[in-house]
């Protein structure tokens, strides 16, 4: 459910940003706010704090545009605050980074234990596009430790069809059985 909320707000902001400030500036705003929140975790805590009045929070957000972000992103922050979704800011920014960077194409790292023929790469690319519902930029990596098969990393998602991954799963299952 939380992912759906983050996705909806992220997609709505990007649609708004494309019409006003452009995708590139929106991505820059997200990058800047992520840096600010990373360096100042107390800032998001302050924006979430129930003991701080809404007026004080809005005043704080009003100080962001210009130095840290555009007025449009400031307005978006105010919307999140008014709708009680400011606690989702990190998730929303991360969704924007993963789904809208690189021209809207998602980056996929495909690791295999052996070189893959071009036809197989095309088939994998098409399957991943279909599964993800978006265009992708595929990076190939040779990784002999996989022992066979393939492993795809898409943002925070891992699709592991490697022999090593299957052996690791089997080992975990055996350890759980042994403990029971």
């Amino acid at each position: 459910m939380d992912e759906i909320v983050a996705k909806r707000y992220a997609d709505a902001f990007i649609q708004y940003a494309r019409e006003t400030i452009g995708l590139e500036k929106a991505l820059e705003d997200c990058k800047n706010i992520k840096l600010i929140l990373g360096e100042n975790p107390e800032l998001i805590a302050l924006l979430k704090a129930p003991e701080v009045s809404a007026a004080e929070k809005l005043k704080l957000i009003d100080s962001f545009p210009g130095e840290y972000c555009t007025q449009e992103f400031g307005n978006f922050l105010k919307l999140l605050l008014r709708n009680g979704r400011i606690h989702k800011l990190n998730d929303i920014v991360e969704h924007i980074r993963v789904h809208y960077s690189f021209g809207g194409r998602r980056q996929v790292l495909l690791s295999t234990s052996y070189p893959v023929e071009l036809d197989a790469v095309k088939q994998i690319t098409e399957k991943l596009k279909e599964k993800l519902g978006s265009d992708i930029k595929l990076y190939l990596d040779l990784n002999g430790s996989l022992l066979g098969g393939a492993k795809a990393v898409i943002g925070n998602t891992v699709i592991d069809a490697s022999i090593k991954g299957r052996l690791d799963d089997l080992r975990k299952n055996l350890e759980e059985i042994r403990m029971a």
Side-chain angles (χ1 to χ4, degrees), residues 29-134:
D29 283 352
C30 289
K31 179 180 151 194
N32 289 342
I33 215 68
K34 190 164 177 86
L35 285 172
I36 292 166
L37 294 176
E39 293 171 359
N40 305 292
E42 66 279 355
L43 184 61
I44 197 75
L46 182 70
L47 290 171
K48 290 189 226 177
E51 60 273 2
V52 178
S53 73
E56 290 174 305
K57 292 175 185 178
L58 289 171
K59 188 175 179 183
L60 176 63
I61 290 173
D62 280 336
S63 69
F64 289 179
E67 188 174 350
Y68 303 112
C69 63
T70 61
Q71 185 63 49
E72 289 77 5
F73 195 79
N75 292 340
F76 177 65
L77 292 174
K78 290 178 187 178
L79 174 76
L80 292 175
L81 186 65
R82 281 193 295 273
N83 290 350
R85 301 289 190 193
I86 198 71
H87 65 283
K88 296 265 124 228
L89 182 58
N90 277 328
D91 295 337
I92 293 166
V93 169
E94 184 63 14
H95 182 86
I96 290 171
R97 184 191 68 78
V98 168
H99 290 87
Y100 292 100
S101 294
F102 314 104
R105 297 180 348 180
R106 296 182 70 180
Q107 289 189 322
V108 177
L109 176 64
L110 179 68
S111 298
T112 62
S113 60
Y114 53 88
V116 180
E117 292 186 21
L118 187 57
D119 288 341
V121 170
K122 286 179 182 177
Q123 286 178 341
I124 292 168
T125 301
E126 289 305 314
K127 290 284 185 189
L128 287 170
K129 281 181 184 181
E130 185 180 309
K131 182 174 180 71
L132 299 171
S134 67

Side-chain angles (χ1 to χ4, degrees), residues 9 12 130 139 147 163:
Y9 276 92
E130 185 180 309
Y139 296 91
L147 305 175
I163 292 174

